[in-house]
Amino acid sequence: DVKVTQSSRYLVKRTGEKVFLECVQDMDHENMFWYRQDPGLGLRLIYFSYDVKMKEKGDIPEGYSVSREKKERFSLILESASTNQTSMYLCASSSGGAGTGELFFGEGSRLTVL
Amino acid sequence: AQKVTQAQTEISVVEKEDVTLDCVYETRDTTYYLFWYKQPPSGELVFLIRRNSFDEQNEISGRYSWNFQKSTSSFNFTITASQVVDSAVYFCALSGGNQFYFGTGTSLTVIP
């Protein structure tokens, strides 16, 4: 069964901490995405990557960085967590041209920053 | 600019009723894709359908059907004879270039 796995379902961190959210897919997909989901705002794209070591900013990249050292793994990094980064974070992957194949999502990581 | 509007924030229906979820999109691209995803209470978004901009044929899959109309830039989703398991948040999405653009979602509650 194809799968996108996010390392943590629930995290609680303190303001100023460095936070790593890991995502691994087993479908050999070229494209990987990080979204943030907030009530009333839907899904907003933080960063995406269409190849190893490549990254592109999405709509809300401020305060975040990403790393893609291997094809199957895409990490989201919060250098210095802030309370306004409390949210649900969703990782997704797709094949083909980045906007053509359907997205496969992980279960999400709910981050609370105190 | 690319944009997806789901004007219905929350809908409640009684089991076995039909329900239509609206999706209106904006794009200047001539080639694009439209999607619907379901997010059940467990949280994981599940792909339901993809449509490309050149295929306006409506599609039916069991109790689900989709009506794509380029003239009105709409891609509406109908659930026939709704069931409690249909309770979820449904997202419409548009792809353009390398990105996907999501609506804000419609929360559907099916009351037994």
Side-chain angles (χ1 to χ4, degrees):
Chain A
D1 199 14
V2 295
K3 206 160 178 60
V4 176
T5 304
Q6 294 183 230
S7 55
S8 306
R9 287 296 303 272
Y10 301 94
L11 304 94
V12 179
K13 298 293 182 180
R14 296 208 174 273
T15 300
E17 280 192 76
K18 192 169 186 175
V19 181
F20 292 88
L21 299 179
E22 305 285 341
C23 176
V24 177
Q25 51 96 2
D26 64 3
M27 295 167 279
D28 201 35
H29 283 168
E30 299 86 2
N31 314 305
M32 296 189 75
F33 306 78
W34 274 106
Y35 288 90
R36 171 176 171 161
Q37 182 178 10
D38 299 289
L41 297 178
L43 278 69
R44 293 180 292 169
L45 182 64
I46 305 171
Y47 268 96
F48 66 101
S49 167
Y50 51 86
D51 201 353
V52 176
K53 296 192 186 294
M54 304 297 288
K55 60 184 179 183
E56 295 278 348
K57 292 181 180 179
D59 298 318
I60 53 165
E62 297 77 19
Y64 304 94
S65 63
V66 291
S67 172
R68 192 162 181 206
E69 296 296 319
K70 293 184 177 181
K71 189 176 185 179
E72 67 271 19
R73 187 179 298 270
F74 192 36
S75 302
L76 180 68
I77 303 154
L78 287 68
E79 295 289 343
S80 178
S82 63
T83 55
N84 62 13
Q85 292 178 310
T86 292
S87 187
M88 170 71 87
Y89 291 88
L90 297 171
C91 177
S93 70
S94 73
S95 64
T100 60
E102 65 264 31
L103 292 169
F104 292 83
F105 283 88
E107 291 183 312
S109 298
R110 184 167 294 282
L111 172 66
T112 301
V113 183
L114 302 175
Chain B
Q2 321 273 20
K3 186 179 178 181
V4 175
T5 301
Q6 294 180 257
Q8 304 151 309
T9 305
E10 296 181 358
I11 300 176
S12 291
V13 298
V14 177
E15 199 171 22
K16 296 185 183 176
E17 286 184 350
D18 299 346
V19 59
T20 295
L21 310 182
D22 297 332
C23 173
V24 174
Y25 63 93
E26 296 175 29
T27 181
R28 292 182 180 176
D29 294 342
T30 54
T31 301
Y32 53 89
Y33 291 82
L34 295 163
F35 303 79
W36 275 95
Y37 289 85
K38 174 182 179 180
Q39 186 178 39
S42 60
E44 186 173 337
L45 276 87
V46 176
F47 164 77
L48 295 178
I49 189 171
R50 177 184 66 178
R51 254 300 175 254
N52 75 53
S53 52
F54 298 108
D55 183 1
E56 285 193 73
Q57 285 204 12
N58 293 331
E59 180 154 342
I60 298 174
S61 176
R63 296 183 297 106
Y64 295 172
S65 62
W66 291 269
N67 183 357
F68 176 28
Q69 291 193 344
K70 287 179 76 171
S71 60
T72 55
S73 296
S74 65
F75 186 44
N76 296 338
F77 173 29
T78 297
I79 302 174
T80 303
S82 59
Q83 299 177 2
V84 172
V85 294
D86 296 326
S87 295
V89 180
Y90 291 86
F91 290 95
C92 180
L94 163 73
S95 71
N98 288 330
Q99 292 196 34
F100 293 83
Y101 301 86
F102 284 82
T104 52
T106 298
S107 178
L108 173 66
T109 301
V110 180
I111 303 164

